[in-house]
Amino acid sequence: MTGTSLRTYLITRLALVVPMVLILLTLVFLLLRVAPGNPIQAALGGHVPPAYVHQIEHRLGFDKPLITQYGDYLWNIVRGNLGTTITDNRPLSQIIKQNGAATFELTFFAMLIAIVVGVVVGLIAGRYRDTPVDIAGRLFGVIVYATPPFFLGLMAQLVFGVWLGWLPTSDQASPLTQALLQTHTNIFLVDAIWDGSWGALWDIVKHLILPATTLGLITAGVFIRLTRINVIRTLRDDYIEAARARGIAERRVVFFHAFKNALVPVITVVGLNLAILLGGVVLTETTFNWPGIGHELVIYLENRDYAGVQGIIVVFALVVVAVSILVDFLNAFVDPRIRY
Amino acid sequence: MAFAPAAPRTPHGRARLIALGRATKPIREASGVARAMFWSGVVITVFFILLALLAPLISPYNFTQYKSDGHRFEQLAHPSSAHLFGTTVQSVDVLSRVIYGTQTELEVVAIALAMSLVVGVPLGLISGYFGGILDRFLVLIMDAIFAFPYLLIAIVIAFVLSTSSIGGGILTAAIAITAAYVPLYFRVVRNHVISVREEPYVDAARALGARPRTVIRKYVFFNVVQNVPPIATLNAADAILLLAALGFLGYGIQPSQGAEWGYDVSRAVTDASSGIWWTGLFPGLAIVLLVTGLTLVGEGLNETINPVLRRRRFGRFEFEPVPGPTEEAE
């Protein structure tokens, strides 16, 4: 019974993804391709012979009619070919593999920090509503949310990098580590553990602390707010009152009855927040010179490389959609009401 | 039967005063903490608005000025009595840039919010009221945009506009921010309209033969629009972060056009490696403070207007208010 309805739900949900992806891809195409001006000329600068411009236009298919370009663009994405950048002729697949690994390392730990800080502060604030603890927790949440990642990052660099000299302020690892590290997964942290090179691992962790904390704290603000509201709402529910009426200890009511249920909606928020986090990734990576996809995007934007920008935006779009499906699936498993 | 905004007659005016009193009732009845947070947010916001309005009077120098009385200011001067917040590498007074920055931020955000409302609210009204294919189509598009990181939407649009003939500037930044926020207003308004559409009083108006135009304007609009102020305030906070982010990446306001805090912080990144803190700290703090103020106002409005979170000052026992049709504003 449950199995079939769950399967039906999953299939319906997957089918709904197709129009969403199509619309996102179309919007990206419209924005970047129909924009006025010659993108190739813009990418190469003013001093390039027209013949060369035409040659590249031809290679990228920019000389075809717009509708054919659109068809080619979609067909290439379906085949998994996201194209090649104009300025440094790098295939997007390579960017995903190398820079994507760096972004994954950063976002994974940032999300971990965000969830731990956000849930803990939110639970405490919600439990002790309207006490000084709550006010402090909420203010912390608001201020953290109000801080741009680049500003927090800059201050962290100043204090922990320049003044105290404890942590490095940029890059993913020191040049020596980067040169010596064997590549297995492109995720530096995993590669270092793989080889058991603990010196490299320490170096990588030191580089990771400031960017991950910056990005994590900024994302935590939203978690604090939501966890707090959920706890408040759950603590008012009838079944909590019922548990109290049965004489169950308050501590037990709060921990076993309220918190568990208050955290279910947070799963959804984790997924929704990935969109916010990805915006923050661009800024954090730029601030810390972290060689991830967001940093790469900023470089291609600066070089007016339309193919690079388009490819990376498409990657972001696909990631967002994939995560939203994942979250819905998780929710369907956790909360049976959603399936029906 | 059109609603005439000009020259309110006395009964109308009184009715509106009563309506205003009823609308602010939740704020007046809110618990101490919520009120304190709300009012401190109001104070901060008003402070910045005054700063923006009075910038030419308060600011010691202009935001591009690097010399006065014929001699150039010291480069990267420490904060001192001559320059309270120090100077930048171009010898510009940091305090003056922070003060003038208030003007830029508020101006851009006001334009962007106005544009998002003008586009998003009518679209949501029409889409929600009439439903059908148009509604399906708009929802699909808006949901797709909504799912996407709004910073990326704004960056791409600012990038495309700044390479085109429009160029970078206040309008470009405002359009980029607008594009990122229209889906939010659309969703909120549309979802609310769908629930209001089935209310008996709307049905009654329809039964009396009112045209859709009249029904939307007289009956649906004022019910739906109540949801907008808390969202718009929280959104203004968000929009300032977005503008600062655009400025940080170099797609915001041109340096000659106005002082912008995000841009100033981006210039301070190189200073930080040599331990210079004042060029980044002050514009950054300004962002944090203004966004905090607006967020407190927005959350205060949200908490007091949203019945689920409301807690009245009197009475230990209260009946749970019937939850509204929308869960809560995001």
Side-chain angles (χ1 to χ4, degrees):
Chain A
M1 270 292 280
T2 330
T4 22
S5 69
L6 185 62
R7 196 177 308 145
T8 322
Y9 172 79
L10 297 186
I11 290 168
T12 326
R13 181 67 186 79
L14 273 178
L16 281 174
V17 165
V18 178
M20 187 172 172
V21 172
L22 195 66
I23 286 171
L24 272 178
L25 293 181
T26 309
L27 286 176
V28 172
F29 179 84
L30 284 177
L31 266 176
L32 287 171
R33 216 55 89 70
V34 185
N38 184 340
I40 312 286
Q41 191 83 54
L44 298 174
H47 311 289
V48 185
Y52 184 60
V53 175
H54 288 313
Q55 189 194 327
I56 293 195
E57 268 181 354
H58 184 69
R59 178 165 69 79
L60 293 167
F62 275 40
D63 52 352
K64 292 182 196 160
L66 216 54
I67 189 77
T68 322
Q69 284 188 40
Y70 179 61
D72 288 350
Y73 159 81
L74 287 183
W75 176 235
N76 275 326
I77 291 174
V78 170
R79 287 191 309 162
N81 175 14
L82 292 173
T84 312
T85 62
I86 303 171
T87 40
D88 54 1
N89 211 6
R90 250 179 108 195
L92 255 294
S93 52
Q94 193 194 343
I95 295 179
I96 296 172
K97 223 189 273 168
Q98 292 172 353
N99 305 95
T103 299
F104 180 78
E105 190 179 303
L106 177 62
T107 35
F108 182 81
F109 286 97
M111 206 44 142
L112 216 62
I113 292 171
I115 293 172
V116 170
V117 173
V119 167
V120 168
V121 176
L123 285 178
I124 295 171
R127 168 70 185 81
Y128 298 101
R129 186 179 182 193
D130 288 350
T131 63
V133 185
D134 178 30
I135 300 168
R138 288 180 71 187
L139 267 181
F140 175 75
V142 171
I143 290 171
V144 146
Y145 171 79
T147 311
F150 51 85
F151 176 55
L152 187 63
L154 183 69
M155 290 300 122
Q157 286 176 359
L158 254 175
V159 174
F160 297 103
V162 180
W163 289 341
L164 297 173
W166 291 348
L167 296 165
T169 58
S170 68
D171 298 321
Q172 200 185 355
S174 59
L176 186 68
T177 311
Q178 293 200 29
L180 293 179
L181 198 66
Q182 301 278 322
T183 305
H184 302 288
T185 59
N186 278 311
I187 302 169
F188 280 16
L189 205 72
V190 177
D191 287 350
I193 295 172
W194 191 308
D195 288 342
S197 46
W198 308 117
L201 183 66
W202 177 232
D203 182 56
I204 291 161
V205 168
K206 274 204 307 196
H207 278 82
L208 184 61
I209 291 174
L210 286 186
T213 313
T214 301
L215 188 55
L217 277 182
I218 267 129
T219 322
V222 191
F223 286 114
I224 294 176
R225 240 175 71 174
L226 272 138
T227 313
R228 175 178 173 276
I229 289 176
N230 280 327
V231 169
I232 289 173
R233 197 181 292 161
T234 319
L235 281 174
R236 280 182 171 191
D237 272 348
D238 290 340
Y239 73 93
I240 296 293
E241 204 67 29
R244 283 191 184 131
R246 268 183 273 128
I248 299 171
E250 182 67 17
R251 179 179 291 259
R252 206 181 146 78
V253 171
V254 168
F255 274 99
F256 289 92
H257 297 249
F259 282 3
K260 215 175 81 185
N261 280 294
L263 287 181
V264 172
V266 176
I267 301 177
T268 318
V269 179
V270 171
L272 288 177
N273 265 340
L274 196 91
I276 303 174
L277 195 77
L278 283 181
V281 161
V282 176
L283 298 170
T284 310
E285 287 182 354
T286 309
T287 313
F288 286 97
N289 198 23
W290 186 267
I293 294 192
H295 186 50
E296 233 23 54
L297 173 69
V298 172
I299 293 172
Y300 288 126
L301 282 167
E302 258 162 37
N303 296 334
R304 310 224 168 283
D305 187 330
Y306 274 70
V309 172
Q310 176 190 299
I312 292 178
I313 296 284
V314 167
V315 171
F316 274 128
L318 295 179
V319 169
V320 166
V321 171
V323 170
S324 82
I325 301 173
L326 202 72
V327 168
D328 281 357
F329 283 9
L330 264 178
N331 265 327
F333 279 114
V334 175
D335 188 348
R337 280 174 301 181
I338 292 169
R339 289 176 222 155
Y340 296 104
Chain B
M1 286 291 284
F3 184 77
R9 281 156 294 155
T10 337
H12 244 114
R14 258 190 67 196
R16 232 181 271 167
L17 262 182
I18 293 168
L20 191 72
R22 208 178 294 153
T24 54
K25 200 175 161 208
I27 294 173
R28 285 182 281 121
E29 284 190 349
S31 74
V33 180
R35 261 193 318 172
M37 288 182 103
F38 173 74
W39 285 112
S40 41
V42 170
V43 168
I44 295 172
T45 310
V46 168
F47 168 75
F48 275 104
I49 292 174
L50 286 178
L51 211 57
L53 291 175
L54 304 175
L57 299 175
I58 302 170
S59 177
Y61 306 102
N62 197 342
F63 62 88
T64 48
Q65 195 177 342
Y66 54 89
K67 59 182 179 184
S68 84
D69 303 334
H71 65 266
R72 205 184 156 106
F73 302 144
E74 200 186 332
Q75 274 185 326
L76 292 170
H78 271 273
S80 65
S81 55
H83 299 283
L84 281 178
F85 287 2
T87 61
T88 68
V89 75
Q90 288 106 358
S91 307
V92 179
D93 183 55
V94 176
L95 176 63
S96 307
R97 282 197 70 83
V98 170
I99 293 175
Y100 271 99
T102 318
Q103 275 189 342
T104 316
E105 310 291 325
L106 292 179
E107 190 184 348
V108 174
V109 167
I111 297 174
L113 275 190
M115 288 201 294
S116 323
L117 287 172
V118 165
V119 179
V121 174
L123 274 183
L125 280 171
I126 293 168
S127 185
Y129 188 79
F130 292 108
I133 295 175
L134 178 79
D135 181 47
R136 294 256 179 93
F137 180 69
L138 281 174
V139 166
L140 216 56
I141 291 188
M142 294 291 181
D143 276 1
I145 304 177
F146 191 73
F148 206 62
Y150 53 72
L151 176 61
L152 290 181
I153 299 171
I155 291 175
V156 172
I157 290 184
F159 164 72
V160 169
L161 288 180
S162 63
T163 35
S164 76
S165 51
I166 298 172
I170 288 181
L171 192 64
T172 296
I175 294 175
I177 295 171
T178 303
Y181 289 132
V182 163
L184 177 70
Y185 291 102
F186 172 82
R187 271 169 64 122
V188 169
V189 170
R190 177 197 168 268
N191 292 346
H192 200 114
V193 168
I194 283 187
S195 62
V196 167
R197 193 177 59 179
E198 307 303 331
E199 295 281 333
Y201 66 88
V202 178
D203 253 353
R206 262 198 299 256
L208 284 172
R211 285 174 305 161
R213 213 184 136 82
T214 319
V215 178
I216 292 181
R217 267 165 61 160
K218 287 208 68 173
Y219 299 94
V220 178
F221 178 72
F222 284 103
N223 264 294
V224 169
V225 96
Q226 289 176 359
N227 284 352
V228 170
I231 299 170
T233 324
L234 287 174
N235 221 213
D238 231 41
I240 286 178
L241 286 177
L242 192 52
L243 176 65
L246 284 178
F248 179 78
L249 295 173
Y251 295 98
I253 311 301
Q254 299 304 302
S256 56
Q257 222 179 6
E260 203 278 317
W261 299 332
Y263 173 82
D264 287 357
V265 175
S266 77
R267 304 319 310 268
V269 172
T270 39
D271 301 340
S273 49
S274 42
I276 290 157
W277 50 272
W278 56 90
T279 50
L281 179 72
F282 295 115
L285 277 184
I287 301 174
V288 176
L289 200 60
L290 178 53
V291 176
T292 304
L294 285 168
T295 310
L296 288 177
V297 174
E299 280 203 353
L301 286 177
N302 204 7
E303 177 144 344
T304 46
I305 287 172
N306 191 342
V308 181
L309 293 173
R310 192 185 305 158
R311 176 190 269 190
R312 290 181 197 280
R313 259 186 297 168
F314 306 109
R316 167 77 179 79
F317 296 101
E318 49 181 325
F319 289 104
E320 188 75 30
V322 180
T326 44
E327 271 287 285
E328 46 152 320
E330 284 154 79

